[in-house]
Amino acid sequence: MLHIKPLSNELQQVALNELAEVPNRIPNDLQALRTWIEQEPHLNARLEEQFLIQYLRGCKYSLERAKAKIDLFFTLKSKFPDLFNVSDVNEAKFRKINSYGFGLPLPQPLNDNGPRIFFFKFEGDIAKGLIDIEDLFCVLNAMHEIFLMDDPYACINGIVYILDMKNISISMASQFTPSFLRKIVQFYEKSLPLRIKAVHLLNTPGFFHSVLSILLPLLSEKLRQRMFVYGQTYDNLEEKVPKKYLPLYLGGENGAREQILKDFDKKWLEYENYFKENANYGTHELLRPGKPIDFDSIYGLGGSFRILDVD
């Protein structure tokens, strides 16, 4: 018997039609991925069926793509544990950063049965740059691990990101360094099996364009086409995300931050042991077959610069 959470009829149809899922092949597909993990001397990865099937689904059942993403996922955890490998969700610093509610999943998926909407808001000490960006993203990265195991809308239909940049300061923007951006792109686009359907940046100040000029060359062409940058006017956002699916403070109907934070606290509690187990997983680079990973090349500065026009 497979230990996989059932999907709704609507999401199951998406898995069949868009993700190339063939139900009677799932046991063999999972076994092939599990066998590969067990045979890789450098890789100590999770073997839960719920974890593995998401990589198969997110890679449209390409075993080679799933292997590459899983390898990178655990490589990043070992190389940058403070950023990507949370093991204690009750640690005081983690809980303090979480309480800011910098980035939160909105309760209602887009169009009721579509991608999960993940919303960021820069305000207070975060907007001023007084909170370390890696501490902020440490919490966000852990949230995405929960999505991977728990959120059927994110797992099947992907994620739409909306960032309200209204109050961001130059000091905060300066923390988006080339090295940090490379790590984040590697994690979100290259290692997670959660498909990014769109990224919307609202109230984007002119000085943030220098960050975008570093970020864009790091992204795949597909993801670059899914990025939308707006100034203070973003009426045409409603063509892609109807207003009712925005959070309450933006005039929508999709949740209040305080309640979302409270609801997600239950998830942290539910997955407390999952994160404790993170300490058991990762990679041993000295045991990696073939040529070792050139981390300096991956996380050094690269790419051209480009200035964007704001809608």
Side-chain angles (χ1 to χ4, degrees):
M1 179 179 177
L2 295 177
H3 297 283
I4 296 171
K5 295 179 180 180
L7 299 174
S8 67
N9 290 335
E10 293 85 354
L11 291 176
Q12 185 62 67
Q13 284 302 309
V14 176
L16 296 173
N17 298 332
E18 296 184 18
L19 306 184
E21 186 159 294
V22 180
N24 62 8
R25 277 183 19 204
I26 289 176
N28 289 337
D29 291 333
L30 288 171
Q31 185 57 48
L33 195 51
R34 186 184 297 110
T35 298
W36 169 77
I37 291 171
E38 292 172 340
Q39 292 177 345
E40 288 297 304
H42 72 291
L43 179 60
N44 189 11
R46 289 184 176 274
L47 297 175
E48 297 102 314
E49 290 171 342
Q50 188 66 44
F51 178 84
L52 296 181
I53 196 171
Q54 185 47 45
Y55 272 89
L56 290 171
R57 287 169 170 167
C59 297
K60 298 185 177 180
Y61 282 82
S62 165
L63 188 60
E64 293 309 309
R65 287 178 57 205
K67 290 177 183 179
K69 279 182 174 280
I70 288 173
D71 195 337
L72 181 56
F73 181 78
F74 289 101
T75 297
L76 291 172
K77 282 177 166 293
S78 291
K79 181 65 176 176
F80 308 109
D82 291 343
L83 182 57
F84 297 120
N85 203 39
V86 170
S87 59
D88 184 2
V89 296
N90 294 316
E91 190 263 334
K93 182 179 180 181
F94 183 92
R95 299 302 296 173
K96 176 65 175 178
I97 297 297
N98 177 71
S99 70
Y100 286 106
F102 169 57
L104 292 170
L106 302 186
Q108 195 69 18
L110 183 61
N111 301 322
D112 299 328
N113 195 47
R116 177 65 62 198
I117 302 170
F118 198 88
F119 186 82
F120 297 82
K121 184 182 181 183
F122 291 85
E123 63 179 356
D125 287 348
I126 293 174
K128 296 173 185 176
L130 300 179
I131 308 298
D132 184 79
I133 195 167
E134 293 210 357
D135 290 338
L136 289 172
F137 272 81
C138 175
V139 175
L140 299 178
N141 301 340
M143 284 183 171
H144 282 71
E145 285 201 63
I146 292 181
F147 296 164
L148 195 158
M149 299 294 290
D150 190 82
D151 188 333
Y153 295 101
C155 287
I156 301 300
N157 286 327
I159 301 180
V160 169
Y161 294 101
I162 301 177
L163 295 81
D164 186 353
M165 315 290 289
K166 183 176 182 180
N167 298 312
I168 191 171
S169 66
I170 293 178
S171 178
M172 185 66 218
S174 69
Q175 292 196 46
F176 288 84
T177 63
S179 176
F180 173 76
L181 290 172
R182 279 186 176 273
K183 294 173 189 175
I184 292 302
V185 169
Q186 288 285 308
F187 184 73
Y188 282 87
E189 186 179 11
K190 309 299 184 184
S191 86
L192 284 180
L194 305 172
R195 297 182 297 160
I196 301 174
K197 306 301 287 187
V199 180
H200 300 278
L201 279 67
L202 315 181
N203 297 305
T204 310
F207 61 76
F208 199 76
H209 289 183
S210 60
V211 174
L212 294 175
S213 69
I214 298 170
L215 172 63
L216 287 173
L218 303 177
L219 305 177
S220 67
E221 179 61 27
K222 178 186 290 186
L223 186 50
R224 284 198 293 270
Q225 296 300 322
R226 294 178 178 181
M227 286 197 67
F228 305 93
V229 182
Y230 310 81
Q232 294 183 359
T233 301
Y234 46 89
D235 294 338
N236 55 342
L237 173 66
E238 290 192 40
E239 298 174 6
K240 303 174 181 70
V241 182
K243 190 171 184 179
K244 66 175 287 189
Y245 295 103
L246 296 179
L248 294 179
Y249 94 95
L250 282 179
E253 304 172 13
N254 206 357
R257 183 175 62 176
E258 294 76 13
Q259 187 60 50
I260 298 172
L261 270 171
K262 183 178 180 180
D263 291 342
F264 211 88
D265 276 339
K266 299 175 185 176
K267 289 295 180 185
W268 293 128
L269 180 61
E270 180 182 349
Y271 280 86
E272 180 180 0
N273 288 331
Y274 169 94
F275 285 102
K276 287 181 180 178
E277 293 169 358
N278 270 349
N280 300 324
Y281 301 110
T283 58
H284 301 281
E285 291 306 317
L286 292 178
L287 300 178
R288 181 183 292 275
K291 187 177 180 180
I293 294 177
D294 184 356
F295 286 104
D296 290 337
S297 175
I298 293 175
Y299 301 106
L301 176 61
S304 57
F305 284 64
R306 170 184 167 198
I307 300 299
L308 291 182
D309 292 328
V310 177
D311 292 343

